[in-house]
Amino acid sequence: MKGLSLRQLSAVLAVHRTGRIVNAASDLGLTQPAVSLQIQEAERIAGTPLFERTRDGLRPTAAGSAMIEAAQDIDETLRRLDDEIAAIRGGRRGRLRLGVVSTAKYFAPAIMAAFMKLHPELEISLWVGNRDETIASLEAQRIDVALMGRPPREFPVRATQIGEHPFVIIAATDHPLVGQPAVRKQRIADEEFLVRERGSGTRTALDIFLSEIPGRIENIGVELGSNETIKQAVMAGLGVALISAHTIAQEIEFGRLAILDVEGLPIIRNWFSVSRADRTPSPAMVAFEAFLREHGRSFLPDVAS
């Protein structure tokens, strides 16, 4: 393996990321034959194929997966080295790649803005996805820190609690259950639910909440792709929804949605900042996580029912 070059490892990562030689070439700014040559050289050094062709593109072999993991480690080490040398030079002190689950996008920009005022020398990017996508990005080191609910168990992480994360059931303001006290779970289960996709933290919370009602989660409701779509559908009277209270602050303030008083609610979870435990945190990560410990709670929306 000593004969491997950074250029070859970059080609392997690009093919893994894009699934095809032509896409990897575009991503790297190279010609398709140049990328093919780098892959062939890497396979010659490894003594075994790194990818197999499928109908959906190139898929890593067992050897390919091992090389991809090593290449990701090397890429992360070089990125940290770049940050440290930049800090030594006294110039730009590094980069922070922040990933957030889609529910956190309602307050993450405010956190970023406040942090950037304190650290204008840092380059910060924001990525948004659902829970499964965020975990995958953290594991693959495409992001440095994630803001999310339950920390993943698939790999070791550092997790710092930021504050409470309540889930509530919302309805249109003219819904007959608005204003009724202590609505029973069996009664709310009769309603038409509007739900997020599987893999989201909100969907998981609803599955757990309704799990005591026989057969309910097997026919849980109409699946919609975003919190914004769900809110609009609820306002239109198409159903009710379990949703993060931190996504509806404006709608509640302006009287466009109502929070139902349901037994067992709100469900209280927590927000965490999460990073990989097997990676040495960069100076930017250390500063950001310290900022969240001290100030993170103050950015969470205060939603009154």
Side-chain angles (χ1 to χ4, degrees):
M1 294 298 102
K2 290 184 178 180
L4 280 171
S5 69
L6 290 177
R7 183 171 295 181
Q8 290 159 0
L9 292 175
S10 294
V12 170
L13 283 178
V15 171
H16 171 59
R17 186 168 57 248
T18 64
R20 300 183 187 279
I21 295 287
V22 62
N23 296 339
S26 176
D27 193 46
L28 294 172
L30 300 173
T31 64
Q32 187 173 343
V35 174
S36 295
L37 180 61
Q38 297 299 333
I39 298 298
Q40 291 168 11
E41 282 298 301
E43 290 181 326
R44 182 186 64 78
I45 293 169
T48 185
L50 300 177
F51 295 94
E52 59 182 5
R53 295 186 179 275
T54 71
R55 293 178 59 185
D56 297 324
L58 296 177
R59 184 174 62 187
T61 62
S65 295
M67 187 173 290
I68 288 164
E69 184 175 352
Q72 289 172 336
D73 289 344
I74 292 169
D75 191 57
E76 174 64 14
T77 298
L78 290 174
R79 190 188 68 81
R80 291 201 307 270
L81 176 61
D82 181 59
D83 289 347
E84 291 169 5
I85 290 178
I88 292 170
R89 289 199 309 262
R92 179 177 56 79
R93 295 183 61 85
R95 293 167 290 174
L96 177 71
R97 300 168 299 175
L98 176 62
V100 304
V101 294
S102 54
T103 302
K105 69 182 180 182
Y106 294 89
F107 58 84
I111 290 177
M112 283 183 61
F115 180 70
M116 291 171 67
K117 285 183 180 179
L118 295 176
H119 300 276
E121 72 280 7
L122 293 180
E123 176 187 327
I124 305 177
S125 61
L126 176 65
W127 179 91
V128 181
N130 69 20
R131 174 179 168 80
D132 285 350
E133 293 167 342
T134 303
I135 291 174
S137 292
L138 188 64
E139 184 174 23
Q141 302 182 74
R142 292 190 292 270
I143 58 177
D144 302 311
V145 179
L147 300 185
M148 62 191 307
R150 294 173 294 113
R153 297 180 179 178
E154 292 85 345
F155 51 93
V157 298
R158 288 182 296 270
T160 301
Q161 184 175 326
I162 300 173
E164 290 187 346
H165 182 193
F167 288 84
V168 296
I169 289 181
I170 56 172
T173 54
D174 60 352
H175 192 283
L177 292 180
V178 172
Q180 290 194 21
V183 177
R184 298 185 63 192
K185 183 182 294 189
Q186 289 79 1
R187 170 64 185 86
I188 200 66
D190 292 336
E191 294 292 316
E192 178 72 14
F193 273 82
L194 307 170
V195 303
R196 286 290 303 274
E197 75 283 359
R198 292 192 181 278
S200 70
T202 306
R203 177 66 171 270
T204 300
L206 180 61
D207 287 347
I208 294 172
F209 180 71
L210 293 178
S211 61
E212 299 175 4
I213 311 298
R216 190 61 180 89
I217 60 175
E218 285 75 18
N219 183 27
I220 201 163
V222 179
E223 186 173 298
L224 300 173
S226 71
N227 290 322
E228 290 304 313
T229 305
I230 286 177
K231 289 190 290 185
Q232 292 296 325
V234 171
M235 282 187 264
L238 296 181
V240 302
L242 182 85
I243 198 167
S244 164
H246 290 157
T247 69
I248 56 171
Q250 288 189 348
E251 289 81 5
I252 295 300
E253 180 181 356
F254 294 114
R256 301 176 66 195
L257 285 171
I259 297 176
L260 299 183
D261 182 7
V262 179
E263 290 181 345
L265 295 180
I267 299 170
I268 302 297
R269 298 289 187 261
N270 289 287
W271 285 113
F272 293 89
S273 68
V274 180
S275 58
R276 288 183 56 147
D278 57 352
R279 295 292 179 267
T280 302
S282 68
M285 292 170 61
V286 171
F288 185 69
E289 290 175 342
F291 176 82
L292 287 177
R293 283 193 296 272
E294 185 173 356
H295 304 291
R297 187 184 305 269
S298 66
F299 292 95
L300 301 179
D302 184 14
V303 180
S305 59

